[in-house]
Amino acid sequence: MRLFPALVFTTTLAAMAAQAQPMDMPQHQHGAPSEEDLPPLGTGPSVQFGGILGDYPMMRDASGTSWQPDSAPMEGIHGIAGDWATMLHGYIAAIYDHTSGPRGDNKTFSSSMLMGMAQRSLGEGHLTLKGMISLDALMGKSGYPLLFQTGETADGVTPLVDRQHPHDFLMELAGTYSTPLSSDASGFVYIGYPGEPALGPPAFMHRFSAMNNPEAPIGHHWLDATHITYGVATLGLTSGGWKVEGSIFNGREPDQHRWEPDRLRLDSASTRLSFNPTSDWAFQVSYGFIKDPEQLEPGVSQHRVTASAIYNKKLEHGNWQTTLAWGQNNQQPGITSNAYLLESAIGWYAHTVFARIEDAQKNELFPESNPLHGRMFGVAKFSLGYVYDIPIQEHLSLGLGAVGSLYTLPSALAPAYGTDPSSYMLFVRVKLI
Ligand SMILES: [Cu+2]
């Protein structure tokens, strides 16, 4: 891990937390305002956040244009700058990662995210600007060890297998405008470079059930891997708990040059239907045609179908969220494979316990030289983790955590992975709250 830039990032987070001039509002348990805490319109500051895509509580907004339950907590520092309501959210973690077996490895690395958002009213509607960066690229081009993970490339020549790719420095630069169309419906447009098309559940680092777990899901490229896409344009409608939207976007996954933006293309398309029937539920189904997603497999496109349900329960001193998701990739030409994910996290005072169960079909675990090349294997992963968060400043907390995982795999994989592979991560995290 290159320590210096990571230290600068941490210092910047601390300085922002110290200088933040938050809105004068009561804070709830995690330091973030909940819907009830916000001053009602007309009595508090005239500038405040609303839903970025229509008339609904801001807590519903997750990554890109995806939705989570309204009752989900939203961390970050809220403020006002002129006519703009602003929000800042971020974390940086130092992680020690160990994976067992013949393909196992150890690595110490950092992962991070800093997100800024600003919203103002414009005409009848709302304009929202979002920017998000990550210093994940400091971990090096081959990312971090993660057994059975597949997707993207380290160097443009070899595919990443049993490694999670680092995220690009630029994760999102996007603008959204929404305007009322009738008394109960709004239309919106979302433009991002990079951005997230209307495909899949909220990206893992943006949903409460996953955000405390430093590991990416091994089903990432079946569910939410399009969260960083170099070129997205989305049009949609919202009405009450419903949202329907369509995107055109760049189907190619980010290349190995993580510090630089990629070439803009708009060669793929997706559509998503979202429904939040109550403040505790968020459902979505989506379909996308993804043109040539893998740099190393030109000419192989994908049809992707996903469905997910998120249940969130606000507790007196915490929050509990559970996500169930399914994703299917249908390669053209090629095979169809599925990934299933069930994850849950419960936060109570300073404690968060989280768990994830995944089942994924993988056919990219072996290089062409291996007789098992191209064969599909079903693997399952069980993870359990815990993090303890200590407040170190009004808007900053220090978390100490660990996560351990066990796997089940077909016997044909034992020579490559051992009969009972396992892995763990230990981490220290500084987070804006
Ligand atoms: Cu990703």
Side-chain angles (χ1 to χ4, degrees):
M1 170 169 62
R2 282 193 259 167
L3 267 176
F4 180 69
L7 268 176
V8 172
F9 193 87
T10 314
T11 317
T12 312
L13 281 189
M16 286 187 307
Q19 284 173 10
Q21 295 180 323
M23 284 157 81
D24 187 18
M25 60 170 84
Q27 302 284 308
H28 84 157
Q29 174 257 334
H30 278 297
S34 73
E35 182 60 12
E36 301 96 83
D37 295 335
L38 288 169
L41 273 170
T43 62
S46 59
V47 181
Q48 69 174 58
F49 271 107
I52 66 170
L53 310 174
D55 184 19
Y56 56 82
M58 63 175 285
M59 281 69 194
R60 192 184 294 179
D61 288 312
S63 60
T65 57
S66 68
W67 278 356
Q68 61 183 338
D70 299 7
S71 62
M74 189 175 275
E75 293 178 327
I77 303 172
H78 297 247
I80 296 170
D83 292 338
W84 296 85
T86 62
M87 192 189 80
L88 204 58
H89 175 48
Y91 70 84
I92 183 163
I95 301 166
Y96 174 74
D97 177 8
H98 168 84
T99 59
S100 80
R103 289 189 169 195
D105 198 2
N106 300 315
K107 183 163 177 163
T108 302
F109 64 95
S110 86
S111 99
S112 56
M113 192 255 285
L114 180 65
M115 184 181 124
M117 195 157 111
Q119 187 182 71
R120 61 164 296 161
S121 43
L122 185 70
E124 296 282 282
H126 280 104
L127 175 69
T128 309
L129 304 176
K130 294 203 280 182
M132 185 161 45
I133 56 167
S134 165
L135 296 184
D136 275 14
L138 294 175
M139 69 177 73
K141 288 186 169 185
S142 62
Y144 62 82
L146 189 65
L147 290 176
F148 303 111
Q149 185 64 303
T150 50
E152 305 195 10
T153 170
D155 51 8
V157 182
T158 37
L160 283 171
V161 178
D162 301 312
R163 314 285 299 187
Q164 167 62 37
H165 63 79
H167 287 112
D168 274 39
F169 170 66
L170 259 186
M171 294 181 87
E172 188 178 29
L173 268 185
T176 304
Y177 183 70
S178 72
T179 189
L181 299 176
S182 70
S183 59
D184 61 356
S186 298
F188 70 87
V189 55
Y190 166 96
I191 306 279
Y193 179 81
E196 181 179 314
L199 183 57
F204 66 91
M205 65 274 279
H206 302 279
R207 49 179 198 255
F208 182 85
S209 56
M211 61 174 55
N212 287 288
N213 186 343
E215 291 190 327
I218 57 173
H220 188 39
H221 287 262
W222 280 252
L223 296 170
D224 49 5
T226 47
H227 65 123
I228 303 174
T229 297
Y230 280 96
V232 180
T234 302
L235 267 181
L237 283 174
T238 66
S239 179
W242 293 92
K243 168 166 58 85
V244 59
E245 55 194 325
S247 302
I248 50 169
F249 63 98
N250 186 341
R252 177 60 59 84
E253 284 166 351
D255 66 19
Q256 71 274 22
H257 306 293
R258 304 288 173 185
W259 296 104
E260 294 146 35
D262 296 0
R263 188 160 77 81
L264 171 73
R265 315 166 206 235
L266 293 171
D267 53 9
S268 302
S270 66
T271 181
R272 177 167 60 193
L273 179 68
S274 304
F275 182 44
N276 284 25
T278 72
S279 61
D280 290 340
W281 285 97
F283 297 93
Q284 69 84 29
V285 287
S286 49
Y287 162 78
F289 170 74
I290 308 173
K291 175 103 176 116
D292 279 4
E294 289 286 348
Q295 186 181 338
L296 302 180
E297 292 173 3
V300 181
S301 295
Q302 276 179 12
H303 295 281
R304 177 172 301 166
V305 184
T306 83
S308 64
I310 306 179
Y311 174 73
N312 192 83
K313 188 75 197 157
K314 193 173 168 181
L315 309 175
E316 200 184 337
H317 297 287
N319 192 67
W320 175 41
Q321 187 176 99
T322 302
T323 300
L324 177 65
W326 162 69
Q328 181 178 83
N329 284 339
N330 181 347
Q331 288 184 330
Q332 299 289 323
I335 57 155
T336 296
S337 54
N338 292 281
Y340 303 87
L341 171 147
L342 175 66
E343 69 188 10
S344 195
I346 185 161
W348 191 69
Y349 290 102
H351 311 277
T352 306
V353 177
F354 55 88
R356 180 183 286 151
I357 303 175
E358 286 190 273
D359 190 281
Q361 294 177 309
K362 299 271 175 172
N363 69 326
E364 295 164 336
L365 299 173
F366 295 93
E368 263 174 53
S369 54
N370 191 299
L372 296 178
H373 174 73
R375 256 182 69 184
M376 189 151 78
F377 298 99
V379 295
K381 176 175 182 178
F382 309 87
S383 306
L384 186 64
Y386 169 79
V387 56
Y388 179 67
D389 277 297
I390 311 151
I392 49 174
Q393 259 192 38
E394 193 188 352
H395 290 290
L396 214 52
S397 77
L398 176 72
L400 302 173
V403 55
S405 303
L406 298 172
Y407 304 79
T408 61
L409 64 175
S411 54
L413 290 180
Y417 288 92
T419 45
D420 288 303
S422 63
S423 61
Y424 66 84
M425 284 185 175
L426 306 172
F427 60 96
V428 182
R429 175 185 70 189
V430 178
K431 182 171 75 167
L432 290 177
I433 52 174

PDB file of all heavy atoms in Angstrom, residues 136 152 164-168 171 203-205 216 220-221 224-228, ligand 1:
ATOM      1  N   ASP A 136      -8.811   3.578  -4.572  1.00  0.00           N
ATOM      2  CA  ASP A 136      -8.595   2.130  -4.686  1.00  0.00           C
ATOM      3  C   ASP A 136      -7.396   1.786  -5.571  1.00  0.00           C
ATOM      4  O   ASP A 136      -6.733   0.771  -5.351  1.00  0.00           O
ATOM      5  CB  ASP A 136      -9.826   1.457  -5.318  1.00  0.00           C
ATOM      6  CG  ASP A 136     -10.890   1.126  -4.297  1.00  0.00           C
ATOM      7  OD1 ASP A 136     -10.804   1.639  -3.163  1.00  0.00           O
ATOM      8  OD2 ASP A 136     -11.808   0.361  -4.642  1.00  0.00           O
ATOM      9  N   GLU A 152     -12.930  -8.164 -15.288  1.00  0.00           N
ATOM     10  CA  GLU A 152     -11.985  -7.099 -15.632  1.00  0.00           C
ATOM     11  C   GLU A 152     -10.555  -7.644 -15.716  1.00  0.00           C
ATOM     12  O   GLU A 152     -10.322  -8.846 -15.662  1.00  0.00           O
ATOM     13  CB  GLU A 152     -12.126  -5.888 -14.687  1.00  0.00           C
ATOM     14  CG  GLU A 152     -13.574  -5.383 -14.674  1.00  0.00           C
ATOM     15  CD  GLU A 152     -13.791  -4.004 -14.075  1.00  0.00           C
ATOM     16  OE1 GLU A 152     -12.810  -3.293 -13.814  1.00  0.00           O
ATOM     17  OE2 GLU A 152     -14.966  -3.629 -13.890  1.00  0.00           O
ATOM     18  N   GLN A 164     -10.133  -9.131  -6.765  1.00  0.00           N
ATOM     19  CA  GLN A 164     -11.131  -8.099  -7.007  1.00  0.00           C
ATOM     20  C   GLN A 164     -10.425  -6.891  -7.618  1.00  0.00           C
ATOM     21  O   GLN A 164      -9.456  -6.392  -7.066  1.00  0.00           O
ATOM     22  CB  GLN A 164     -11.820  -7.696  -5.698  1.00  0.00           C
ATOM     23  CG  GLN A 164     -12.645  -6.418  -5.775  1.00  0.00           C
ATOM     24  CD  GLN A 164     -13.810  -6.501  -6.745  1.00  0.00           C
ATOM     25  OE1 GLN A 164     -14.451  -7.539  -6.877  1.00  0.00           O
ATOM     26  NE2 GLN A 164     -14.075  -5.401  -7.444  1.00  0.00           N
ATOM     27  N   HIS A 165     -10.932  -6.405  -8.745  1.00  0.00           N
ATOM     28  CA  HIS A 165     -10.304  -5.255  -9.411  1.00  0.00           C
ATOM     29  C   HIS A 165     -10.446  -4.002  -8.547  1.00  0.00           C
ATOM     30  O   HIS A 165     -11.432  -3.833  -7.833  1.00  0.00           O
ATOM     31  CB  HIS A 165     -10.963  -5.013 -10.770  1.00  0.00           C
ATOM     32  CG  HIS A 165     -12.415  -4.642 -10.688  1.00  0.00           C
ATOM     33  ND1 HIS A 165     -12.838  -3.370 -10.370  1.00  0.00           N
ATOM     34  CD2 HIS A 165     -13.539  -5.364 -10.837  1.00  0.00           C
ATOM     35  CE1 HIS A 165     -14.161  -3.336 -10.347  1.00  0.00           C
ATOM     36  NE2 HIS A 165     -14.611  -4.543 -10.622  1.00  0.00           N
ATOM     37  N   PRO A 166      -9.449  -3.098  -8.602  1.00  0.00           N
ATOM     38  CA  PRO A 166      -9.617  -1.811  -7.927  1.00  0.00           C
ATOM     39  C   PRO A 166     -10.647  -0.986  -8.687  1.00  0.00           C
ATOM     40  O   PRO A 166     -10.817  -1.161  -9.894  1.00  0.00           O
ATOM     41  CB  PRO A 166      -8.228  -1.172  -8.036  1.00  0.00           C
ATOM     42  CG  PRO A 166      -7.534  -1.875  -9.146  1.00  0.00           C
ATOM     43  CD  PRO A 166      -8.175  -3.209  -9.329  1.00  0.00           C
ATOM     44  N   HIS A 167     -11.334  -0.099  -7.993  1.00  0.00           N
ATOM     45  CA  HIS A 167     -12.267   0.795  -8.676  1.00  0.00           C
ATOM     46  C   HIS A 167     -11.518   1.998  -9.230  1.00  0.00           C
ATOM     47  O   HIS A 167     -10.477   2.382  -8.725  1.00  0.00           O
ATOM     48  CB  HIS A 167     -13.388   1.219  -7.730  1.00  0.00           C
ATOM     49  CG  HIS A 167     -14.351   0.110  -7.476  1.00  0.00           C
ATOM     50  ND1 HIS A 167     -14.485  -0.499  -6.259  1.00  0.00           N
ATOM     51  CD2 HIS A 167     -15.196  -0.540  -8.312  1.00  0.00           C
ATOM     52  CE1 HIS A 167     -15.381  -1.469  -6.356  1.00  0.00           C
ATOM     53  NE2 HIS A 167     -15.824  -1.523  -7.590  1.00  0.00           N
ATOM     54  N   ASP A 168     -12.065   2.565 -10.290  1.00  0.00           N
ATOM     55  CA  ASP A 168     -11.437   3.724 -10.919  1.00  0.00           C
ATOM     56  C   ASP A 168     -11.406   4.911  -9.952  1.00  0.00           C
ATOM     57  O   ASP A 168     -12.266   5.048  -9.088  1.00  0.00           O
ATOM     58  CB  ASP A 168     -12.212   4.118 -12.188  1.00  0.00           C
ATOM     59  CG  ASP A 168     -11.732   3.334 -13.394  1.00  0.00           C
ATOM     60  OD1 ASP A 168     -11.445   2.136 -13.238  1.00  0.00           O
ATOM     61  OD2 ASP A 168     -11.646   3.927 -14.489  1.00  0.00           O
ATOM     62  N   MET A 171     -15.334   7.666  -9.837  1.00  0.00           N
ATOM     63  CA  MET A 171     -16.412   6.678  -9.754  1.00  0.00           C
ATOM     64  C   MET A 171     -17.714   7.243 -10.311  1.00  0.00           C
ATOM     65  O   MET A 171     -18.541   6.513 -10.849  1.00  0.00           O
ATOM     66  CB  MET A 171     -16.633   6.251  -8.307  1.00  0.00           C
ATOM     67  CG  MET A 171     -15.459   5.493  -7.714  1.00  0.00           C
ATOM     68  SD  MET A 171     -15.795   4.985  -6.019  1.00  0.00           S
ATOM     69  CE  MET A 171     -16.611   3.423  -6.274  1.00  0.00           C
ATOM     70  N   ALA A 203     -25.382  -0.307  -5.824  1.00  0.00           N
ATOM     71  CA  ALA A 203     -24.044  -0.899  -5.776  1.00  0.00           C
ATOM     72  C   ALA A 203     -23.674  -1.245  -4.326  1.00  0.00           C
ATOM     73  O   ALA A 203     -24.101  -0.574  -3.395  1.00  0.00           O
ATOM     74  CB  ALA A 203     -23.022   0.072  -6.357  1.00  0.00           C
ATOM     75  N   PHE A 204     -22.857  -2.307  -4.170  1.00  0.00           N
ATOM     76  CA  PHE A 204     -22.690  -2.884  -2.826  1.00  0.00           C
ATOM     77  C   PHE A 204     -22.211  -1.880  -1.787  1.00  0.00           C
ATOM     78  O   PHE A 204     -22.657  -1.906  -0.653  1.00  0.00           O
ATOM     79  CB  PHE A 204     -21.803  -4.138  -2.872  1.00  0.00           C
ATOM     80  CG  PHE A 204     -20.366  -3.917  -3.266  1.00  0.00           C
ATOM     81  CD1 PHE A 204     -19.406  -3.666  -2.304  1.00  0.00           C
ATOM     82  CD2 PHE A 204     -19.966  -3.986  -4.595  1.00  0.00           C
ATOM     83  CE1 PHE A 204     -18.080  -3.474  -2.657  1.00  0.00           C
ATOM     84  CE2 PHE A 204     -18.645  -3.795  -4.963  1.00  0.00           C
ATOM     85  CZ  PHE A 204     -17.701  -3.534  -3.995  1.00  0.00           C
ATOM     86  N   MET A 205     -21.303  -0.964  -2.177  1.00  0.00           N
ATOM     87  CA  MET A 205     -20.778  -0.055  -1.145  1.00  0.00           C
ATOM     88  C   MET A 205     -21.767   1.039  -0.772  1.00  0.00           C
ATOM     89  O   MET A 205     -21.479   1.853   0.089  1.00  0.00           O
ATOM     90  CB  MET A 205     -19.422   0.529  -1.566  1.00  0.00           C
ATOM     91  CG  MET A 205     -19.461   1.427  -2.763  1.00  0.00           C
ATOM     92  SD  MET A 205     -19.346   0.493  -4.294  1.00  0.00           S
ATOM     93  CE  MET A 205     -17.583   0.230  -4.389  1.00  0.00           C
ATOM     94  N   ALA A 216     -15.950  -7.252  -1.854  1.00  0.00           N
ATOM     95  CA  ALA A 216     -16.950  -7.174  -2.922  1.00  0.00           C
ATOM     96  C   ALA A 216     -17.648  -8.528  -3.017  1.00  0.00           C
ATOM     97  O   ALA A 216     -17.039  -9.565  -2.768  1.00  0.00           O
ATOM     98  CB  ALA A 216     -16.279  -6.855  -4.250  1.00  0.00           C
ATOM     99  N   HIS A 220     -20.590  -9.792  -8.069  1.00  0.00           N
ATOM    100  CA  HIS A 220     -20.564  -8.380  -8.482  1.00  0.00           C
ATOM    101  C   HIS A 220     -20.849  -8.207  -9.971  1.00  0.00           C
ATOM    102  O   HIS A 220     -21.629  -7.346 -10.367  1.00  0.00           O
ATOM    103  CB  HIS A 220     -19.183  -7.813  -8.124  1.00  0.00           C
ATOM    104  CG  HIS A 220     -19.022  -6.331  -8.285  1.00  0.00           C
ATOM    105  ND1 HIS A 220     -20.005  -5.433  -7.954  1.00  0.00           N
ATOM    106  CD2 HIS A 220     -17.971  -5.576  -8.739  1.00  0.00           C
ATOM    107  CE1 HIS A 220     -19.571  -4.186  -8.194  1.00  0.00           C
ATOM    108  NE2 HIS A 220     -18.346  -4.257  -8.672  1.00  0.00           N
ATOM    109  N   HIS A 221     -20.238  -9.056 -10.815  1.00  0.00           N
ATOM    110  CA  HIS A 221     -20.406  -8.878 -12.255  1.00  0.00           C
ATOM    111  C   HIS A 221     -21.694  -9.498 -12.797  1.00  0.00           C
ATOM    112  O   HIS A 221     -21.902  -9.545 -14.007  1.00  0.00           O
ATOM    113  CB  HIS A 221     -19.160  -9.381 -12.994  1.00  0.00           C
ATOM    114  CG  HIS A 221     -17.997  -8.441 -12.822  1.00  0.00           C
ATOM    115  ND1 HIS A 221     -17.646  -7.509 -13.752  1.00  0.00           N
ATOM    116  CD2 HIS A 221     -17.163  -8.243 -11.770  1.00  0.00           C
ATOM    117  CE1 HIS A 221     -16.625  -6.788 -13.302  1.00  0.00           C
ATOM    118  NE2 HIS A 221     -16.309  -7.226 -12.097  1.00  0.00           N
ATOM    119  N   ASP A 224     -24.179  -5.775  -9.879  1.00  0.00           N
ATOM    120  CA  ASP A 224     -24.029  -4.326  -9.757  1.00  0.00           C
ATOM    121  C   ASP A 224     -22.716  -3.788 -10.308  1.00  0.00           C
ATOM    122  O   ASP A 224     -22.317  -2.681  -9.968  1.00  0.00           O
ATOM    123  CB  ASP A 224     -24.201  -3.898  -8.283  1.00  0.00           C
ATOM    124  CG  ASP A 224     -23.367  -4.733  -7.307  1.00  0.00           C
ATOM    125  OD1 ASP A 224     -22.587  -5.588  -7.768  1.00  0.00           O
ATOM    126  OD2 ASP A 224     -23.503  -4.535  -6.096  1.00  0.00           O
ATOM    127  N   ALA A 225     -22.040  -4.563 -11.176  1.00  0.00           N
ATOM    128  CA  ALA A 225     -20.721  -4.122 -11.644  1.00  0.00           C
ATOM    129  C   ALA A 225     -20.796  -2.945 -12.607  1.00  0.00           C
ATOM    130  O   ALA A 225     -19.773  -2.333 -12.906  1.00  0.00           O
ATOM    131  CB  ALA A 225     -19.973  -5.281 -12.307  1.00  0.00           C
ATOM    132  N   THR A 226     -21.981  -2.600 -13.085  1.00  0.00           N
ATOM    133  CA  THR A 226     -22.078  -1.453 -14.005  1.00  0.00           C
ATOM    134  C   THR A 226     -22.091  -0.117 -13.251  1.00  0.00           C
ATOM    135  O   THR A 226     -22.349   0.914 -13.856  1.00  0.00           O
ATOM    136  CB  THR A 226     -23.340  -1.563 -14.895  1.00  0.00           C
ATOM    137  OG1 THR A 226     -24.450  -1.892 -14.059  1.00  0.00           O
ATOM    138  CG2 THR A 226     -23.182  -2.629 -15.947  1.00  0.00           C
ATOM    139  N   HIS A 227     -21.766  -0.150 -11.938  1.00  0.00           N
ATOM    140  CA  HIS A 227     -21.856   1.110 -11.177  1.00  0.00           C
ATOM    141  C   HIS A 227     -20.846   2.162 -11.619  1.00  0.00           C
ATOM    142  O   HIS A 227     -21.041   3.331 -11.326  1.00  0.00           O
ATOM    143  CB  HIS A 227     -21.783   0.853  -9.661  1.00  0.00           C
ATOM    144  CG  HIS A 227     -20.487   0.298  -9.171  1.00  0.00           C
ATOM    145  ND1 HIS A 227     -19.736   0.917  -8.209  1.00  0.00           N
ATOM    146  CD2 HIS A 227     -19.817  -0.836  -9.498  1.00  0.00           C
ATOM    147  CE1 HIS A 227     -18.653   0.187  -7.959  1.00  0.00           C
ATOM    148  NE2 HIS A 227     -18.686  -0.876  -8.720  1.00  0.00           N
ATOM    149  N   ILE A 228     -19.774   1.751 -12.297  1.00  0.00           N
ATOM    150  CA  ILE A 228     -18.857   2.753 -12.868  1.00  0.00           C
ATOM    151  C   ILE A 228     -18.816   2.513 -14.372  1.00  0.00           C
ATOM    152  O   ILE A 228     -18.198   1.568 -14.851  1.00  0.00           O
ATOM    153  CB  ILE A 228     -17.444   2.631 -12.285  1.00  0.00           C
ATOM    154  CG1 ILE A 228     -17.505   2.771 -10.761  1.00  0.00           C
ATOM    155  CG2 ILE A 228     -16.522   3.704 -12.872  1.00  0.00           C
ATOM    156  CD1 ILE A 228     -16.181   2.522 -10.074  1.00  0.00           C
TER     157      ILE A 228
HETATM  158 CU    CU B   1     -17.297  -2.491  -8.724  1.00  0.00          CU
END
